[in-house]
Each structure stands twice: as C-alpha cells, then as structure tokens.
Amino acid sequence: MDRAVQTKSVLIQSLCVPCFNHCRYCLLSWDHAVTGAGWERSVQTAERFLRELKDQRPEINSSFSFGYSMDHPNLREALRTLRRLGSPTASFLQGDGMRMRDGAACRGLMEMLRAEGVLLLNFTVYGLPAYHDLFAGRKGDFDLIGRMMHAAKEAGIPFTTRIPLTAENAAQADKLIDRMRKAGSEQIMLFVPNEEGRGKLLRGVRLRREDLKKLAPESRSLLNQSIYRTEAEWLETQDPVQEKHRHILISLRPDNMEVYEQRSALSVVREIEEMDERYYAAFPDFGELATSYGNPEGDSLYHIRDLYYHYRMRYADDHGLHIRDIMDETQSGSRRF
C-alpha cells in the first residue's frame, strides 16, 4: 500500500433513482436503466458502513448519497434519511434531470424542500433553450429549470448555476449568463468538462483559448483560469502532478450487495485502496506520459487532473491495457487529488 497517498473521504452511493434527461455530458453515463441496489437495502448497508467508519476511522469523512437524479419517488422521506445519516446532500440538492413539472408542481416541490431543510439548489445549464434541450436530450428541460428557479426564489431557497463550456456553446455564454443572473442565480460557475463517462463524446468540441475570446471579459472571469489552462501551458510549467489524497467511492449495486452485506466497511475500503494502487501502478507517471503524448502547442483547456486522465486513456489504448477505469462513478472506485 502506498502510504504517501492517504484516504481522506468515503462516499457510499446507490444509483437507484432514474434521471429524466439523457445528457451528452454525463459522468454516470446514464442510459435509461438504474444500476444501483434497491433503496431500503442500500440504506441499511450504508448505515452500517457509516457507523463502522465513524467508530474505527473517525478521521475519514464518510457520507451517503443517491442518484442518478435526486428525484426520489418519496423525496421527503429520502431527505429525512439523508439527514439522519448526516449526509450533506440533505441540505444541498442537485436539480438536474428532475421529472417534468408545471409551475404549481414546482412550487409544491420547493415548499417541501424548504420545510425539509434544503438550504441550496444547483442547476446545470448547457446553453440557450434550443441548444440546452438538445444537449440534455429532453424537449422543455430549459423551461423546467426556469420554473424551478422561479419557484425556488419564491420559496426563499438560494440556487447556483454551473455551465460546462465548450467550443460549441461559447458564443452563447454571455446571453446565458445574463439570463441566469436575471433568474436570480446567486453564483454562476463556468467549467471545462472532463472526458470521464460520456465526456469522451465532447473531445471534438473541447474549449480552446481562442473560444474564450467569444466571451465578454466579465463572463470569462467566471472560469477559473488558474486551474483551467491550455495543454501547452501545463507542459511549460513542468510541475509534477502530486496527488497525495484519495477519495473512495463505494457503489452499492445488485452485483455486489450480497458480498458487501457480509463484509466490514474497512475491508471494502481496503479492497478499493488496493484497486487504486494497482490502477496507478499500471501507468507511467505524468512526466513520462507527457513526453509521449503531450502537444507543446496544444491550445485546448484542461484541469491538470483531466489532462493526466487524457494521457492515461491514450496510453491504455496504445498498449492494449485492459484495466477497469478506477474513476468510473457507476462502480466502486477512487479519485485522487
């Protein structure tokens, strides 16, 4: 075990709730079928694991969540369960992929969320209405988000907005940001999508430095350009990628529940830590990968961890390396930072 990499957090999840979109950019690669174990069974196992981790590894931050969307068929009771388990998602709700609702139903939803202690909502918006709906894979989704934002504002629940920025939607960003501000978004964050999950489909439209020129200076300031740099800029820094911490994901699925129910939380965490070590041992370090695959003139923007992932995937393809992606968030795995 590489003691230099320390496990800092554990998330136990069950992807047992459907999403009502089918977005081009989806870390979970949602494809109209839930892959998580049943709700009640998941909660029982999660509760035991959380109790064991709190008792035996109190220095680790552990929690429970569910997906693919937060639109649980009994959302009120689900929020109460999350609150009982100490989950931060009991007060922070991701509003993407929710079922279609009219204005009255949105108001009812927000009133319930406020009563159950939800303090903040977040929405992901891909572009202006027609583009957003096409990207999200559902007609009317942009208007649904607008109705939920309006209802949240009326209910006194603040909300924020995330906009994944690509070469394809950059020209829409200024108008979209203006609409989100007028809707009442308390914070707007631009980010560059990574290649995980269905993000691979966006490789051809990855944001370039010249695409940023399509945005007004005030809009460009919403993208943190200290962490999103061009490939050429990252290669110039020659700073090694230092990932000393690790996040563990325990994904509760029908194909592993029988085993997990018979095991301790610590044994499952150790198994995933060992999986993490084998995964990274199969690849050269960032410097060697950059020498082989780096483009010193590359003008596409990456987070440094995303660029490292991009190089690892190219190495795996070139060397016929068949190894499960440790960052596949539909499976138990890990993420280093």
Coordinates of all heavy atoms in Angstrom, one line a residue, residues 11-16 28 35-37 42 46 63-67 249-253 257 328-332:
L11 N -17.4 7.9 0.1 CA -18.8 8.2 -0.2 C -19.4 6.8 -0.6 O -18.9 6.1 -1.4 CB -18.9 9.1 -1.4 CG -20.3 9.3 -2.0 CD1 -21.2 10.0 -1.0 CD2 -20.3 10.1 -3.3
I12 N -20.5 6.5 0.1 CA -21.3 5.3 -0.2 C -22.5 5.8 -1.0 O -23.2 6.7 -0.6 CB -21.8 4.6 1.1 CG1 -20.5 4.3 2.0 CG2 -22.5 3.4 0.8 CD1 -20.9 4.1 3.4
Q13 N -22.7 5.2 -2.2 CA -23.8 5.7 -3.0 C -24.6 4.5 -3.6 O -24.1 3.4 -3.7 CB -23.3 6.5 -4.2 CG -22.6 5.6 -5.3 CD -22.3 6.4 -6.6 OE1 -22.4 7.6 -6.6 NE2 -22.0 5.6 -7.6
S14 N -25.9 4.8 -3.9 CA -26.7 3.9 -4.7 C -27.3 4.6 -5.8 O -28.1 5.6 -5.6 CB -27.8 3.3 -3.7 OG -28.6 2.4 -4.5
L15 N -27.1 4.2 -7.0 CA -27.7 4.8 -8.2 C -29.0 4.1 -8.5 O -29.1 3.4 -9.5 CB -26.7 4.7 -9.4 CG -25.3 5.4 -9.2 CD1 -24.4 5.1 -10.4 CD2 -25.5 6.9 -8.9
C16 N -29.9 4.4 -7.6 CA -31.2 3.7 -7.7 C -32.4 4.5 -8.1 O -33.5 4.0 -8.1 CB -31.5 3.1 -6.3 SG -31.6 4.3 -4.9
L28 N -22.0 9.8 -15.2 CA -22.5 8.5 -14.8 C -23.0 7.7 -16.0 O -23.5 6.6 -15.9 CB -23.7 8.7 -13.8 CG -23.3 9.3 -12.5 CD1 -24.6 9.6 -11.7 CD2 -22.3 8.5 -11.7
T35 N -28.7 1.3 -12.1 CA -27.7 0.3 -11.8 C -27.4 0.1 -10.3 O -26.6 -0.8 -9.9 CB -26.3 0.6 -12.5 OG1 -25.8 1.9 -12.0 CG2 -26.5 0.7 -14.0
G36 N -28.1 0.9 -9.5 CA -27.9 0.8 -8.0 C -28.8 -0.3 -7.4 O -29.8 -0.6 -7.9
A37 N -28.4 -0.7 -6.2 CA -29.2 -1.6 -5.4 C -30.5 -0.9 -4.9 O -30.5 0.3 -4.9 CB -28.4 -2.1 -4.3
S42 N -30.0 -0.5 0.3 CA -28.8 0.3 0.3 C -28.7 1.1 1.6 O -27.6 1.3 2.1 CB -28.9 1.3 -0.9 OG -28.9 0.6 -2.1
A46 N -25.5 1.1 4.0 CA -24.8 2.4 4.2 C -24.8 2.8 5.6 O -23.7 3.3 6.1 CB -25.5 3.5 3.3
S63 N -19.9 9.6 4.0 CA -21.3 10.0 3.8 C -22.0 9.1 2.8 O -21.4 8.2 2.3 CB -21.3 11.5 3.3 OG -20.7 11.6 2.1
F64 N -23.3 9.3 2.7 CA -24.1 8.5 1.8 C -24.9 9.4 0.8 O -25.3 10.5 1.2 CB -25.1 7.7 2.6 CG -26.2 7.0 1.8 CD1 -25.8 5.9 0.9 CD2 -27.5 7.3 1.8 CE1 -26.8 5.3 0.2 CE2 -28.5 6.7 1.1 CZ -28.1 5.6 0.2
S65 N -25.0 9.0 -0.4 CA -25.8 9.8 -1.4 C -26.5 8.8 -2.4 O -26.2 7.6 -2.3 CB -25.0 10.7 -2.2 OG -24.1 10.0 -3.1
F66 N -27.4 9.3 -3.2 CA -28.0 8.5 -4.2 C -28.1 9.3 -5.5 O -27.9 10.5 -5.6 CB -29.4 8.1 -3.7 CG -30.4 9.2 -3.5 CD1 -31.2 9.6 -4.6 CD2 -30.6 9.8 -2.3 CE1 -32.2 10.6 -4.4 CE2 -31.5 10.8 -2.1 CZ -32.3 11.2 -3.2
G67 N -28.4 8.6 -6.6 CA -28.5 9.2 -7.9 C -29.3 8.1 -8.7 O -29.7 7.1 -8.2
L249 N -15.0 5.7 -3.4 CA -16.4 5.5 -3.7 C -16.8 4.1 -3.6 O -16.2 3.2 -4.2 CB -16.7 6.0 -5.1 CG -18.1 5.8 -5.7 CD1 -19.1 6.6 -4.9 CD2 -18.1 6.1 -7.2
I250 N -17.8 3.8 -2.7 CA -18.4 2.5 -2.6 C -19.8 2.6 -3.2 O -20.7 3.2 -2.7 CB -18.6 2.1 -1.1 CG1 -17.2 2.1 -0.4 CG2 -19.2 0.7 -1.0 CD1 -17.3 1.8 1.1
S251 N -19.9 1.9 -4.4 CA -21.1 2.0 -5.2 C -21.9 0.7 -4.9 O -21.5 -0.4 -5.2 CB -20.8 2.1 -6.7 OG -22.0 2.4 -7.4
L252 N -23.1 0.9 -4.3 CA -23.9 -0.3 -3.9 C -24.7 -0.7 -5.2 O -25.6 0.0 -5.7 CB -24.8 0.1 -2.8 CG -24.1 0.6 -1.5 CD1 -25.1 1.0 -0.4 CD2 -23.1 -0.4 -1.0
R253 N -24.5 -1.9 -5.6 CA -25.1 -2.5 -6.8 C -25.7 -3.9 -6.6 O -25.2 -4.6 -5.7 CB -24.0 -2.5 -8.0 CG -23.4 -1.2 -8.3 CD -22.1 -1.4 -9.2 NE -22.3 -2.3 -10.3 CZ -22.6 -1.9 -11.5 NH1 -22.7 -0.6 -11.8 NH2 -22.8 -2.8 -12.5
M257 N -24.0 -6.4 -3.7 CA -24.6 -6.2 -2.4 C -24.5 -7.5 -1.5 O -24.3 -7.3 -0.3 CB -26.1 -5.9 -2.6 CG -26.3 -4.4 -2.9 SD -25.7 -3.3 -1.6 CE -26.9 -3.6 -0.3
D328 N -14.6 5.4 -12.9 CA -16.0 5.1 -13.4 C -16.9 5.2 -12.2 O -16.9 4.3 -11.3 CB -16.0 3.7 -14.0 CG -17.4 3.3 -14.5 OD1 -18.4 4.1 -14.2 OD2 -17.6 2.2 -15.0
E329 N -17.7 6.2 -12.1 CA -18.5 6.5 -10.9 C -19.8 5.6 -10.8 O -20.6 5.8 -9.9 CB -18.9 8.0 -10.8 CG -17.6 8.9 -10.6 CD -18.0 10.3 -10.2 OE1 -19.2 10.6 -10.1 OE2 -17.0 11.0 -10.0
T330 N -20.0 4.7 -11.8 CA -21.1 3.7 -11.6 C -20.6 2.5 -10.8 O -21.4 1.7 -10.5 CB -21.6 3.3 -13.0 OG1 -20.6 2.6 -13.7 CG2 -22.0 4.5 -13.8
Q331 N -19.3 2.4 -10.6 CA -18.7 1.3 -9.9 C -18.0 1.8 -8.7 O -17.7 2.9 -8.5 CB -17.6 0.6 -10.8 CG -18.1 0.2 -12.2 CD -18.8 -1.2 -12.2 OE1 -18.6 -1.9 -11.2 NE2 -19.5 -1.5 -13.2
S332 N -17.6 0.9 -7.8 CA -16.8 1.2 -6.7 C -15.4 1.6 -7.2 O -14.9 0.9 -8.1 CB -16.7 0.0 -5.7 OG -17.9 -0.2 -5.0

